[in-house]
Amino acid sequence: MVLVLPAFCIGAFIPGLLVRISTEIVIPAGDTWLLPMAELGQCIADGAFAVFLPWWVAPHSKELISVIAGFLTIGLVVLFVITSTATGYYAEVGTGTVLWQFVLVGVTGSAAGIMVLFAKSQTR
């Protein structure tokens, strides 16, 4: 059980960071249509691996661990939305950017939910 929390932290941040770094290496300017696709991949990786890695390393109660990791992931995403809205993070950007950020938040939550369902199907 000692590995579950580090696995959650690694799964929530490292895979998406690796997707982002690999995208920045390939697309240094970042002004192409591939940048939104990389952001989408980053959000999918963050949501999915935040649930998958704790489930994978848990010695027992795998289904419960995956559900808790899913709720934590969705909680982190909601916390990001609340803090970014409250601090004026979106004040200087257009409506399209704000909508895209909310789509990415939904994708992260959906990826976490899908991985919870996958973990549930694999533990039975």
Side-chain angles (χ1 to χ4, degrees), residues 80-99 101-102:
F80 167 75
V81 169
I82 290 171
T83 57
S84 59
T85 311
T87 59
Y89 180 74
Y90 297 121
E92 301 295 324
V93 297
T95 307
T97 304
V98 174
L99 291 175
Q101 290 296 316
F102 281 102

Side-chain angles (χ1 to χ4, degrees), residues 16 29-30 34 38 42 50 89 106-107:
L34 291 175
Q42 178 182 1
Y89 180 74
V107 166

